[in-house]
Amino acid sequence: MKMHETFIKPMHPEGRKFVAIFALITFGLFMLWDVLGWIGVGLTVWCYYFFRDPERVTPERPGLIISPADGMVSLIEPAVPPAELGLPATPLTRVSVFMSVFNCHVNRAPVAGRVSAVAYRPGKFFNASLDKASADNERNGVVIEMADGRLLPVVQIAGLVARRIVCFVKPGDALGRGERFGLIRFGSRLDIYLPEGVVPSVRVGQTMVAGETVIAELGQ
């Protein structure tokens, strides 16, 4: 890897208009006062950094469930998947990954399979690190059906700052493990509901890397 590639990451196309807006505002700030202009430069660089979309090396070993998001594991607990996904009301182990405004916000498929359902539900904007965010906040759920027929729901949840969930997939689409399926703008969380009997191999407080960190193994 070249030196500049260590610090300059590709930007997801979703971020282009936001960086352009920040840059235009910065130009105006320079017209008013240089100090404000340089603050604008810092915010523009941060906006570019927020929408970074680095390449990831996804483990290829069969049976792995990979983190769909960068961030920190904030909760591991039994919970029923959102009702709008049409799944049985059976509690499953839910692993929540909280993304701060400094994390990469591109979301990646935790497993390979076919998208069997996508369901959006508007809601509130509580801090995404709180437990009630899973029930009350704006969210978008994606259910992935794996080759063995098991289902894995992954839910994008808007946070206190995030107000826009973007999903790139629709029912019937095929996803590879680690493939990009969406993003959330400016701070949020992802919930992964593990299939029955699957035990997480991560702990609360652990740092996750989307597309690379192993959350659990499916087993037989």
Side-chain angles (χ1 to χ4, degrees), residues 187-205:
S188 42
R189 164 174 154 187
L190 260 75
D191 286 349
I192 307 95
Y193 292 83
L194 303 179
E196 189 173 358
V198 175
V199 178
S201 55
V202 295
R203 64 184 185 278
V204 172

Side-chain angles (χ1 to χ4, degrees), residues 56-79:
R56 297 288 165 81
V57 180
T58 301
E60 297 182 355
R61 183 157 59 89
L64 298 180
I65 299 175
I66 306 300
S67 178
D70 284 16
M72 182 186 71
V73 177
S74 58
L75 291 168
I76 299 177
E77 60 185 4

Side-chain angles (χ1 to χ4, degrees), residues 12-50:
H12 194 277
E14 282 284 331
R16 291 171 183 167
K17 62 182 177 182
F18 291 96
V19 173
I21 291 170
F22 272 65
L24 285 173
I25 293 174
T26 296
F27 179 78
L29 291 175
F30 269 116
M31 297 296 99
L32 297 174
W33 187 26
D34 282 357
V35 173
L36 291 177
W38 285 112
I39 292 174
V41 169
L43 292 174
T44 302
V45 171
W46 168 79
C47 185
Y48 174 89
Y49 186 71
F50 177 88

